[in-house]
Structures are given as C-alpha cells and as structure tokens.
Amino acid sequence: MALVTDIKKPDGAASSLSGRNEAAHGVRRLLARPRKFGQFSLSRRMLAVNVLAVALLGGGMLYLDRYETGLIDTELQALATQGGIFAGALSEGATLEDLGDQPVLVPSLGQGLMRRLVEPTRIRARLFLPTGAMIADSRTMQGRGGAIQIQELAPPDDAGPGLLRRAVDWVSNLLRRHDHHPAYVEHVHATAADYDEVGDALEGHITRKVRSDLDGGLVLSAAVPVKRYKQVLGAVMLQVGGASLEQKVNSVRADILRLFMIVLAVTVALSLYLAGTIARPVRKLAQAAYEIRHGDGRKVDIPDFSHRHDEIGELSVALTAMTAAIFRRMDAIERFAADVAHEIKNPLTSLRSAVETATRVQDPKQQKRLMAIIQDDVTRLDRLISDISDASRLDAEMSRLERSPVSLAGMLGTLVDVQSTTRDENDPILEYHPLDEGERLMVLGKEGRLVQVFRNLIGNAASFSPPGGRILVRAERQGQEILLSVEDEGPGVPDGKLAAIFDRFYSERPVGEKFGTHSGLGLSISKQIVEAHGGTIWAENRRDDAGQVQGARFCLRLPAAR
C-alpha cells in the first residue's frame, strides 16, 4: 500500500525555492574549486601598498625644481653684483682720457686688471668695447706661441661612491629640464653680437641670461656696463657653469636617497611584521576551515589566537565556537534522525502486524478490532509525522527569527478566555494571575511560537490535572526579565526526570490515557522556542510543608523588551 500526496506550492514559494537552490549550487561550485592558499597573498599587497606610498613620497621629494630655481636666481644675482664690482674697478683702473678729455677703456690695462679680479673666483670674465669687439677673456692667456685657452674642470662630486652616485646621476638626468633654455655656443672670436646680454649692457642695462650647453648643463651669465661719468665705455660679461649648482642639487638628492633607503628598509620590516601578525594568522584560520570542510573536521584543531585580544583573536574564538556549534547541530540531527526512525518504526510494526493478521482472520469481530488498531496506528503516524515536520521546520525558522513586540499579558489573557469558553464540565479550571501591569510584560519575539509554547504547557498541565482541578498561570516582571509559570494539581514529575521530560520523544503519560495520543515532542519544541528567544525553561514539583508533591510547575524566563 502506497500513500501518494500531491502538494502544490505557490508561485512565489517556488521562485523563492528556485533562487535558494541556485544560490546553494553556486556556493557548492565555489567550495568545490581547488584552493591555493597564498595565491592572492595579503602579505604581498600590504608590502606593495606601503612601499608604493614611500616611493611616491621619495620620488616627489627628489623633484627639486623650486630649490634648483632658487639656486639659479641666487647665482644670477651674485653674478650681477660681482659684475658691478668688476665694472667699477675697470672704470677706475683701466681708463684714460684722450686728447679731447673723453675717458676711454685701455685694453692692456683692462686685461691685466680683469685677470687679477677673477683670479680668486671660478668665474669667467670677458670685456667688450662699445664697438662690440672682445678685448679680454679670463680663460685666454697670451703666450709666445699664441693664445692659450684655459678649460675649467668640473668640481668633485660628493654625492657618494658607487651605486648611490649612479642612482643620483640617473635621477638627475631623468629630471633634467634645460631644453627650454637657449643653447650656448662657444665662439673663437666672440663679439657683442653673439651675446644678447652684452648688447643690452652696451646700451646701459644690466642683463642676466641662462643657457644650456651641449651636455645639458647650465651656463649662467650676467652682463654689466662699464661706465665713467655716466658714459658707457664697454661691457663686462661674467659667466659661470651650472656644475656647482647641479652638485648642490645632487648632494640634496643623495641625502634624500639615503633617507629613502632607510625609510624603505623600515617600511619593509614593518610590513613583514604586519604580515606575520595579520596575514599569517588569517591564512592559518582559512586553512583550518578548508580542512574542516574537505577533511575530518573533528580531527582539525582551529588555531587559538584568543591571547591576542584583537580582531584576529575574536575571529579565532568565533570560528572555534561556530565549528563547535556546527558539530553539536550535526550530532543533534543524527540523534533526531535515529529517534525519528525508532518512533516511526513502532507504529509501522504494529500496522504491518495488524495488516498481516487481518488477511488470515475470518471472524468479523476480530477483523473489526484489527481495523480499529490499523486506524489508530495511522492516526498516530499522522500525528507523529506532523510533529516531526514542525520540529524540523522550527530550527530554520528560529535561525531567521524576526522579532516584534509581544504583550504576554494580552496573549495569556486571550488563551485563558478561549479555554474557559470551550471547557467541558470535567475539564480543569484555568486561572490567570498577572502580578504586573500589561506594559511591563512585553517581550520581543514571534507571537505565534510563544502561543504554541503556552498551549503545550497548558495542554500538558490539563492532561495531568484531576477532573475539576485548577491550573494557575502567573506572570511577573523581575528586573530585565519576565518570569512565567504554569502550575497544576497533578501527580508531579517523577524524581530524576525533571530535565529528561524536555528530551525529544520523551513520553510519561497519565494512567488510563490512550497510547499514542501524544508524540513526546511538545515540551522539546517548547524548550527550543524559548531558547531561541533568549530564555530558559525548567520544571519543578510543588510540595506542601510535609514535602508531599502537590503538582508540577513549569517555569520560564524571557528577556523583557526595553
């Protein structure tokens, strides 16, 4: 005999179930992929981010454009000042008056005086007449074989030896920006027309100029008029190479690079330290979770970082607690499955025996008796399957419990009114005694499930109460909790069974009650609902002064709504 049931689901439920199935399938696909720990290392990311920040800061500091511009302006100002001194000395010591009492610049005197003036400096000086002809150059000396050109050597580089100097040179070449300056051309027989600043100086103006040589270096020059009684007698042009400026800039860059290397080393060390204190523990926790998922989870120890007192420690504690809760839930499911199989097997065995016997019995009375047994067993199975289904759904429902304010005073008052209206003459009398006002008896929870708890407790008390007995329901506020109790006048709970009565399928029924009327899941479901609401439930016996049992009392505490 087979029982076929066709159950239709609403369209919304079907689509919701389909969505959950697709999500679960996606999670299974993700978990099934082979996992390579360290493939996307958090340590490397931390190191890269920290080093990048230091590199950007160091690179920005190496760009010394404003500092270099300030050095150029200072050098040009110094050249102009020295040019004024040279011009004053030449106008006093290298001029004579001609036949018309007009001052003129004497080339021979100017050459000697200018050479003595530039001797203690690294400046190149040239002297031009108003006609534009150059009559003196500090870098040219007259010898027996002709003119000798003096070449100035570059100053020694103090940027440091070896790798550091090469790094400084590479940065300097990379950041060099002299292309916008006009090119400097060295003329063998220079005239005033070759240099714009000299032409301006012969017109009475002090002019500065910046050029770049073939090597990319700077050439700074300043031209100052040589005057005598406000008459321009010539122009002196002072020139200096930019090697000393670049040396100063490179020296600063070398100091920045040294500091950058020190900061970089400290940053790498701190990044590795952070990786050791953050990334490695997280990787160990992930590895343990992976092994629990794909191996024998009970033999895998979750790394204990609770001593750290930080987020990693909290994660370790939470993961350990979650794993223990999962294993407890798995054990509970296994026990529940075994209990269900046992409880269903009993009526099935009785049903099979009755069916087999009914085929061989010819007596109509015995057949009628066997059919009654079959009907009772079917009813018992139906009740048992309904209770088991409710208990199975309860886990999932309580895990996503949506809480709302529930007035226990109103709920209990309604239950008492309904029972009083529908009670028979021999049924026990249900009384409700609230010890607090209704507003103080508020909890956050699901009203339908809380009603189920009190129906189970009141129904259990009614089944053990004598005819016409009294069931008393109390409720009172105690601090931040609400204490509720259901008392009866029955035989009480057997000694040693005060905790066992909340186990699944526990059955201790009154004498004379028909077998199979209750499934033994009512109190277990009630305990599960109360604990899901953050409360506790327990049973105790009511005793008189002589210690005699006067009945049972079921108590529960629920956190009050704030």
Side-chain angles (χ1 to χ4, degrees), residues 394 398 446 449-450 452-453 456 524-534 558:
L394 189 60
M398 291 296 101
K446 191 166 186 178
R449 288 299 182 178
L450 291 175
Q452 182 180 0
V453 171
N456 288 341
S524 174
I525 291 175
S526 299
K527 180 181 179 182
Q528 194 172 354
I529 294 173
V530 170
E531 291 179 347
H533 284 78
L558 292 173

Coordinates of all heavy atoms in Angstrom, one line a residue, residues 394 398 446 449-450 452-453 456 524-534 558:
L394 N 11.2 24.1 12.7 CA 11.5 25.1 13.8 C 12.9 25.5 13.8 O 13.2 26.7 14.0 CB 11.1 24.4 15.1 CG 11.1 25.3 16.3 CD1 10.1 26.4 16.1 CD2 10.8 24.5 17.6
M398 N 13.6 29.5 13.5 CA 14.2 30.2 14.7 C 15.5 30.9 14.3 O 15.9 31.9 14.9 CB 14.4 29.3 15.9 CG 13.1 28.8 16.5 SD 12.1 30.1 17.3 CE 10.9 30.4 16.1
K446 N 8.3 36.2 18.4 CA 7.3 35.8 17.5 C 6.1 35.3 18.2 O 6.2 34.2 18.9 CB 7.9 34.7 16.5 CG 7.0 34.5 15.3 CD 7.7 33.7 14.2 CE 6.8 33.6 13.0 NZ 7.5 32.8 11.9
R449 N 4.7 31.5 17.9 CA 5.5 30.5 18.5 C 5.4 30.5 20.0 O 5.4 29.5 20.7 CB 7.0 30.6 18.1 CG 7.2 30.2 16.6 CD 6.9 28.7 16.4 NE 7.1 28.2 15.1 CZ 6.9 27.0 14.7 NH1 6.4 26.1 15.5 NH2 7.2 26.6 13.4
L450 N 5.3 31.7 20.6 CA 5.1 31.9 22.0 C 3.7 31.3 22.4 O 3.6 30.7 23.5 CB 5.3 33.3 22.5 CG 6.7 33.9 22.3 CD1 6.7 35.4 22.7 CD2 7.7 33.1 23.3
Q452 N 2.3 28.9 20.9 CA 2.5 27.4 20.9 C 3.1 26.9 22.2 O 2.7 25.8 22.7 CB 3.4 27.1 19.7 CG 3.6 25.6 19.5 CD 4.4 25.3 18.3 OE1 4.9 26.2 17.6 NE2 4.7 24.0 18.0
V453 N 4.1 27.6 22.7 CA 4.7 27.2 24.0 C 3.7 27.1 25.1 O 3.6 26.1 25.8 CB 5.8 28.2 24.4 CG1 6.3 27.9 25.8 CG2 7.0 28.1 23.4
N456 N 1.2 24.3 24.7 CA 1.8 23.0 25.1 C 1.8 22.8 26.6 O 1.5 21.8 27.1 CB 3.2 22.9 24.5 CG 3.2 22.7 23.0 OD1 2.2 22.3 22.4 ND2 4.4 22.9 22.4
S524 N 9.8 19.4 24.1 CA 11.1 19.6 23.4 C 11.0 20.8 22.5 O 11.9 21.7 22.4 CB 11.5 18.4 22.6 OG 12.6 18.6 21.8
I525 N 9.8 20.9 21.8 CA 9.6 22.1 20.9 C 9.5 23.4 21.7 O 10.0 24.4 21.3 CB 8.4 21.8 20.0 CG1 8.6 20.7 19.0 CG2 7.9 23.1 19.3 CD1 7.4 20.3 18.2
S526 N 8.8 23.3 22.8 CA 8.7 24.5 23.7 C 10.1 25.0 24.2 O 10.3 26.2 24.2 CB 7.8 24.1 24.9 OG 6.5 23.8 24.5
K527 N 10.9 24.0 24.6 CA 12.2 24.4 25.0 C 13.0 25.1 23.9 O 13.7 26.1 24.1 CB 13.0 23.2 25.5 CG 14.4 23.5 26.0 CD 15.1 22.2 26.5 CE 16.5 22.6 27.0 NZ 17.2 21.4 27.4
Q528 N 12.9 24.5 22.7 CA 13.6 25.1 21.6 C 13.2 26.5 21.3 O 14.0 27.4 21.0 CB 13.4 24.2 20.3 CG 14.4 24.4 19.2 CD 14.2 23.4 18.1 OE1 13.5 22.4 18.3 NE2 14.9 23.6 17.0
I529 N 11.9 26.7 21.3 CA 11.3 28.1 21.0 C 11.8 29.1 22.1 O 12.2 30.2 21.8 CB 9.8 28.0 21.0 CG1 9.3 27.2 19.8 CG2 9.2 29.4 20.9 CD1 7.9 26.9 19.7
V530 N 11.7 28.7 23.4 CA 12.1 29.6 24.5 C 13.6 29.9 24.4 O 14.0 31.1 24.5 CB 11.8 28.9 25.8 CG1 12.4 29.7 27.0 CG2 10.3 28.8 26.0
E531 N 14.4 29.0 24.1 CA 15.9 29.3 24.0 C 16.2 30.1 22.8 O 17.1 30.9 22.8 CB 16.6 27.9 23.9 CG 16.6 27.2 25.2 CD 17.4 25.9 25.2 OE1 17.7 25.4 24.0 OE2 17.6 25.3 26.2
A532 N 15.4 30.0 21.7 CA 15.6 30.8 20.5 C 15.2 32.3 20.8 O 15.7 33.2 20.2 CB 14.8 30.3 19.3
H533 N 14.4 32.5 21.8 CA 14.0 33.8 22.3 C 14.9 34.4 23.4 O 14.7 35.4 24.0 CB 12.6 33.9 22.8 CG 11.5 33.8 21.7 ND1 11.2 32.7 21.0 CD2 10.8 34.8 21.1 CE1 10.3 33.0 20.1 NE2 10.0 34.3 20.1
G534 N 16.0 33.6 23.6 CA 17.0 34.1 24.7 C 16.5 33.7 26.1 O 17.1 34.3 27.0
L558 N 12.0 35.0 30.2 CA 12.2 35.6 28.9 C 12.8 37.0 29.1 O 12.3 37.7 30.1 CB 10.9 35.7 28.1 CG 10.3 34.4 27.6 CD1 8.9 34.6 27.0 CD2 11.2 33.7 26.6

